[in-house]
């Protein structure tokens, strides 16, 4: 009698490998949707505007600008300076609000965003940097490929898990965990709000559609590419006030559209600073928002470099540049 064949038991590693592969694939799918859908919506809105079929009214333009501002602050003040760098402290209600507003930009869940950014600082412009523009070669075509990779391409290619090992503090944070868990709901809220406002004002489904297009998809597209320009242009165009181990740059145009994040070389010199615009004329709206929260008693433990620390770094950078020359 032949013995019944036995099915070999799967090793635990195979289950882990399959789960990891499924996670990478799902992240890649969400990334493609995140990038493509706002771009398609922006193209549609532009076509309707140029054709004169359904141009936005002042209401849609106003809602788009207001949501650009407050959701942009959700990224710069909330995701970046509060949750990722702990540059200041805030009560749970403010942390929750900033987390929701940041999620409404559809740049990925809080844990993904913070882990990727901490990896960027840990290995900036080196092999471990998930979005450096300086890893593709020295030819013009290679530099262009590097710029596109840093701007958006890094999210669209298969990659290792971003690394929750970078965010043990956030994994223990109930507010951060709640914000991360309901990420898709916050994205949906960011789309629904302008649709409801515009639809209610006009009293028509077409009005709601205009609100969805402009205050939702166009606004997401603009905030996304403004933020991503820090990863790309912020490492190739601008000036280096401080000598750092990477190619970070201060770029006034990027600072304007990102509410202060374009002072990127300053940020890499002092990563934990709540203020990025350290120079006299380096306007930093996100820092102004933090100051306003502080005056209202809604922010504290604000971390800033002392003037003598800034001056010391400036002198050290100046001496280093002279030695190179």
């Amino acid at each position: 009698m032949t013995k019944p064949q036995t099915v070999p038991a799967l090793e635990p590693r195979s289950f882990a490998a399959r789960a990891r592969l499924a996670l990478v694939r799902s992240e890649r799918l969400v990334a493609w949707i995140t990038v493509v859908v706002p771009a398609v919506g922006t193209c549609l809105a532009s076509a309707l505007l140029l054709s004169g079929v359904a141009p936005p009214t002042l209401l849609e333009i106003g809602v788009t600008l207001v949501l650009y501002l407050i959701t942009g602050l959700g990224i710069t003040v909330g995701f970046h300076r509060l949750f990722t760098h702990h540059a200041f402290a805030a009560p749970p209600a403010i942390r929750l609000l900033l987390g929701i507003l940041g999620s409404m930009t559809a740049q990925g869940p809080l844990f993904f965003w913070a882990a990727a950014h901490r990896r960027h600082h840990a290995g900036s412009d080196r092999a471990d940097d998930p979005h450096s523009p300086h890893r593709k070669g020295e030819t013009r075509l290679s530099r262009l490929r590097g710029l596109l990779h840093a701007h958006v391409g890094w999210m669209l290619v298969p990659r290792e898990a971003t690394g929750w090992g970078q965010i043990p503090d956030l994994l223990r944070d109930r507010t951060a965990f709640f914000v991360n868990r309901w990420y898709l709901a916050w994205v949906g809220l960011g789309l629904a709000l302008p649709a409801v406002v515009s639809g209610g004002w006009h009293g028509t489904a077409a009005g709601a559609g205009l609100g969805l297009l402009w205050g939702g998809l166009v606004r997401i597209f603009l905030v996304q590419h403004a933020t991503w320009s820090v990863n790309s242009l912020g490492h190739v165009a601008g000036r280096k006030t401080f000598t750092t181990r990477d190619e970070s740059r201060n770029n006034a145009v990027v600072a304007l559209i990102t509410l202060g994040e374009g002072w990127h070389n300053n940020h890499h010199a002092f990563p934990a600073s709540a203020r990025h615009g350290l120079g006299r004329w380096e306007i930093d709206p996100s820092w102004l928002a933090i100051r306003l929260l502080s005056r209202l008693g809604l922010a504290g433990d604000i971390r800033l470099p002392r003037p003598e620390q800034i001056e010391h770094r400036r002198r050290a950078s100046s001496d280093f540049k002279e030695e190179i020359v």
Side-chain angles (χ1 to χ4, degrees):
M1 179 181 291
T2 59
K3 294 182 179 180
Q5 293 182 344
T6 58
V7 178
L10 293 175
E11 297 180 2
R13 291 181 180 178
S14 65
F15 286 108
R18 290 180 182 180
R20 189 169 190 171
L21 179 60
L23 177 62
V24 169
R25 287 177 175 173
S26 64
E27 284 185 350
R28 188 183 182 190
L29 176 61
V30 170
W32 274 98
I33 294 173
T34 296
V35 171
V36 171
V37 172
V40 171
T42 301
C43 290
L44 176 59
S46 301
L48 292 175
L49 170 63
L50 295 175
S51 65
V53 173
T57 67
L58 289 177
L59 175 69
E60 283 77 52
I61 295 173
V63 168
T64 301
L65 291 176
V66 169
L67 285 177
Y68 181 98
L69 175 63
I70 63 174
T71 61
L73 290 174
I75 281 290
T76 63
V77 176
F79 271 36
H80 191 196
R81 306 189 194 192
L82 175 61
F83 287 106
T84 303
H85 289 291
H86 300 302
F88 69 101
I94 297 299
R95 298 175 78 249
L96 176 62
L97 176 62
L98 289 171
I100 292 173
L101 290 174
S103 300
M104 287 166 62
T105 66
Q107 295 183 30
L110 173 58
F111 288 173
F112 162 80
W113 201 101
H117 190 71
R118 288 182 183 179
R119 280 188 62 191
H120 168 64
H121 275 274
S124 185
D125 288 326
R126 299 194 300 276
D128 291 337
D129 189 343
H131 47 66
S132 171
H134 297 284
R135 292 169 48 191
K136 299 296 182 180
E138 295 301 325
T139 67
R140 288 185 179 181
L141 180 59
S142 297
R143 287 196 290 269
L144 177 59
R145 289 177 57 229
L147 195 66
L148 293 174
H149 168 80
H151 191 78
V152 67
W154 69 279
M155 294 185 295
L156 305 179
V157 297
R159 63 185 185 278
E160 293 292 323
T162 304
W164 281 15
Q166 297 282 345
I167 53 169
D169 53 317
L170 296 182
L171 294 175
R172 297 189 298 267
D173 186 324
R174 290 186 178 181
T175 302
F177 197 91
F178 180 78
V179 168
N180 186 84
R181 181 178 183 181
W182 294 98
Y183 166 70
L184 292 178
W186 311 136
V187 174
L189 179 63
L191 295 172
L193 277 177
V196 170
V197 170
S198 187
W201 178 265
H202 295 292
T204 63
L210 275 179
L212 173 64
L213 273 180
W214 287 94
L217 296 177
V218 173
R219 184 264 312 169
I220 287 175
F221 177 84
L222 294 175
V223 177
Q224 284 180 341
H225 287 275
T227 303
W228 297 339
S229 69
V230 178
N231 299 339
S232 54
L233 296 177
H235 280 257
V236 298
R239 57 186 175 83
K240 284 178 71 74
T241 303
F242 302 100
T243 298
T244 56
R245 63 182 183 181
D246 51 52
E247 295 299 323
S248 58
R249 296 286 194 273
N250 286 334
N251 188 304
V253 174
V254 175
L256 176 65
I257 63 175
T258 58
L259 308 176
E261 298 290 274
W263 309 119
H264 199 48
N265 180 242
N266 295 351
H267 173 53
H268 273 261
F270 301 98
S273 174
R275 181 178 184 177
H276 291 187
L278 301 176
R280 184 175 182 180
W281 301 109
E282 293 175 350
I283 300 174
D284 186 353
S286 296
W287 162 240
L288 297 178
I290 294 172
R291 286 188 62 186
L292 176 61
L293 288 175
S294 176
R295 292 187 177 185
L296 294 174
L298 300 174
D301 296 329
I302 298 174
R303 302 169 68 182
L304 295 170
R306 297 189 302 275
E308 58 269 24
Q309 290 178 308
I310 297 174
E311 186 58 31
H312 175 74
R313 285 296 301 266
R314 289 186 192 276
R315 288 199 304 268
S317 298
S318 177
D319 294 341
F320 183 74
K321 292 173 185 175
E322 290 178 2
E323 289 177 7
I324 292 178
V325 173

